[in-house]
Amino acid sequence: MSLLVVGLSHRSAPVSVLERASLNADAQVKLLQDTVAAEPAAEAAVLATCNRIELYADVDKFHAGVAELSTLLAQHSGVGLEELTPYLYVHYEDRAVHHLFSVACGLDSMVVGEGQILGQIKDSLARAQELNSAGRLLNDLFQQALRVGKRAHSETGIDRAGQSLVTFGLEQLAAGGDVETWARGKKALIIGAGSMSSLAAATLARAGVAEVVVANRTFDRAERLAQILAEGDDTDVLARAVPMESVPFELTRADVAVSCTGATGLVMTAESVAAAVEGRTAAPSAVADGTPAPDGEPGRTAATGAGRGNLPATGLGAEDGCPLDLPAVQGTAGFSVLGEAAVAGMAAADLEQHAAWVDNGTVGGAQRAARPGTAGPLDPTPDADAIAALAATVAAVGRIPERRRPEPADEPPRPQPVLFLLDLAMPRDIDAAAHRLAGVRLVDIESLAEASAGAPMAADVDQVRRIVSDEVAAFGAALRAAHITPTVVALRTMAADVVASEIARLDGRLPGLDDKHRAEITQTVRRVVDKLLHAPTVRVKQLAAEPGGAGYADALRTLFDLDPETVAAVSRAEDSTEKDRGPA
């Protein structure tokens, strides 16, 4: 086995990189075609989801395979190889099998235990089979991964360790509350009609939303999904389809919108979201300076023009009436000429003396003019030496040394959300700037990754890990045993040819031998050969199935002087039979 996987996922790369590296359907097809056309790879399959992009291949050279697969990923994703390389991971042979089995069980998912990955693995295998890029190794691997994933979900409670990405996203929109209580009576807009969008629509319908509107670039698919929702036995929801052009208008009516399309650009801009909530909140959708404010964060105008932010700077040097010798302390680590930051290594009482002098001196009344070479009210920039000293302290202790905490700024109250947005697309469908709009709550892949990072792991996860380890060992043993099978078949074929040759020779020597005796002699010779070969071939299969047993096939070929081409012909015949048989 020379299985190699090169990829990146939410565990190795930031969402911004995953967005740029995402592959649409056409790019995946081209990547598969170019991979099998490359010299090191004999088979290839691509597993591309919103959280991962992985290229699997059967290669004959490890280092050449890593280099080729990495280059192909960079070329087809559009992200430069130098930029992509730090985020790539590589798994080889048993580690590659372990990785795929873990992925199939949901152990490597953003939300542990989610089951949607099984459908994505199935689609990946179907695509590779359709393009004839999956041979015996990848067919067996992906089919076994599907069986392992189903076993993990049926034998353990891994489903309790996490929900589907849709359910988890809706829980985040509900701010940890009950989804059904939150969703009841709301109007939902679903953008896209693929598997993820369909799941979101069905989940919201079961949760009790009053209306579901489906928008999709292919209107027929939107109509089909709306019809399924309207006719569902377990829901009582009004569902209808609209063209994509109607999304801005429908957004003004919606309480919650879920988007998951294959678009390469934004489906929903911050401006369109702001327009949709205009007039629906008690506060403007953006702060006074035109810059939207995130949750719990005031706009820039609220933080300036009042309080400590507009105090003038003090001079650095000999100042009349200052209780401190400023030239002596200007090199002190962390000293700030602004008089507002703390001073590392200075007594709090000394600092307070200086602060009181700044507050009560002439600075507080008629501001003194700035002196040449000093930082004054006309030049609020701190001295370069003081900045350097502060930077050195930060580098040493990892933080800015503060003795006095800044006064908290007054934060304007943020209105309750009136529009809930769930973006499950990669690359993103909804402008991230919508995060900062008042009256809007946006949950996207990036925020889901942050929210799920600290999620508790169920005890069943350990049991699933044991299942994965056992299945990896069994798959490796079966693969190694299968590797020697063509050699054993070639050996038995050679033995049968020897028997046939000797019987023909006997006929030449004993032309009068009747059929009954000839048949008895032939059967006896065959039994002798079979008995001689039985124990060695059974034992060599057992040994070959053990770790490090790959060399037994070579030993068998050498001992019996088997023609390598004969062995290869058997392998090709088995691969052809396996391909004709199709997936299990």
Side-chain angles (χ1 to χ4, degrees), residues 190-198 214-216 218 221-222 225 260-261:
I190 307 297
I191 305 174
S195 58
M196 195 78 78
S197 299
S198 300
V214 183
N216 192 59
T218 305
R221 296 189 64 184
L225 177 55
C260 187
T261 73

Side-chain angles (χ1 to χ4, degrees), residues 89-387:
Y89 48 77
V90 175
H91 298 296
Y92 190 54
E93 296 187 334
D94 284 351
R95 289 300 307 171
V97 177
H98 189 282
H99 175 73
L100 181 59
F101 287 4
S102 297
V103 169
C105 293
L107 291 179
D108 198 59
S109 296
M110 182 180 295
V111 181
V112 174
E114 63 93 8
Q116 295 178 47
I117 187 64
L118 286 173
Q120 293 162 335
I121 291 175
K122 185 177 180 181
D123 292 342
S124 175
L125 175 60
R127 186 183 303 106
Q129 289 173 336
E130 183 180 350
L131 295 172
N132 294 317
S133 67
R136 181 169 188 174
L137 173 60
L138 292 185
N139 268 298
D140 290 349
L141 174 69
F142 275 67
Q143 289 172 14
Q144 185 62 23
L146 292 172
R147 287 190 284 267
V148 173
K150 292 175 183 177
R151 179 189 169 191
H153 284 277
S154 64
E155 295 183 12
T156 75
I158 187 66
D159 294 324
R160 295 192 298 270
Q163 313 83 12
S164 72
L165 208 57
V166 169
T167 305
F168 190 62
L170 293 177
E171 287 185 354
Q172 296 303 304
L173 285 182
D178 180 65
V179 172
E180 292 189 2
T181 302
W182 165 81
R184 189 172 297 117
K186 283 184 168 58
K187 297 178 181 178
L189 171 63
I190 307 297
I191 305 174
S195 58
M196 195 78 78
S197 299
S198 300
L199 179 59
T203 303
L204 285 168
R206 287 193 296 268
V209 295
E211 181 185 23
V212 175
V213 177
V214 183
N216 192 59
R217 296 191 186 282
T218 305
F219 186 71
D220 290 345
R221 296 189 64 184
E223 279 190 316
R224 192 177 309 121
L225 177 55
Q227 182 179 3
I228 292 172
L229 293 170
E231 297 175 355
D233 295 333
D234 57 344
T235 63
D236 183 18
V237 63
L238 175 64
R240 57 188 176 88
V242 298
M244 284 293 288
E245 294 76 17
S246 300
V247 165
F249 170 73
E250 295 296 339
L251 200 59
T252 64
R253 302 179 62 255
D255 302 303
V256 54
V258 181
S259 187
C260 187
T261 73
T264 55
L266 292 176
V267 173
M268 204 180 297
T269 64
E271 290 77 13
S272 63
V273 176
V277 298
E278 190 72 32
R280 296 168 66 180
T281 62
S285 60
V287 294
D289 67 348
T291 303
D295 288 76
E297 181 182 315
R300 282 199 282 264
T301 51
T304 60
R308 292 177 172 265
N310 62 348
L311 284 177
T314 63
L316 181 62
E319 296 282 356
D320 295 336
C322 180
L324 297 182
D325 184 6
L326 290 182
V329 299
Q330 64 177 336
T332 304
F335 180 76
S336 170
V337 296
L338 293 177
E340 289 301 305
V343 181
M346 287 186 64
D350 293 340
L351 178 61
E352 291 297 336
Q353 290 181 40
H354 179 61
W357 174 76
V358 171
D359 290 337
N360 299 325
T362 56
V363 175
Q367 298 185 359
R368 66 170 69 88
R371 298 182 180 180
T374 65
L378 302 181
D379 178 17
T381 306
D383 184 85
D385 293 339
I387 295 177

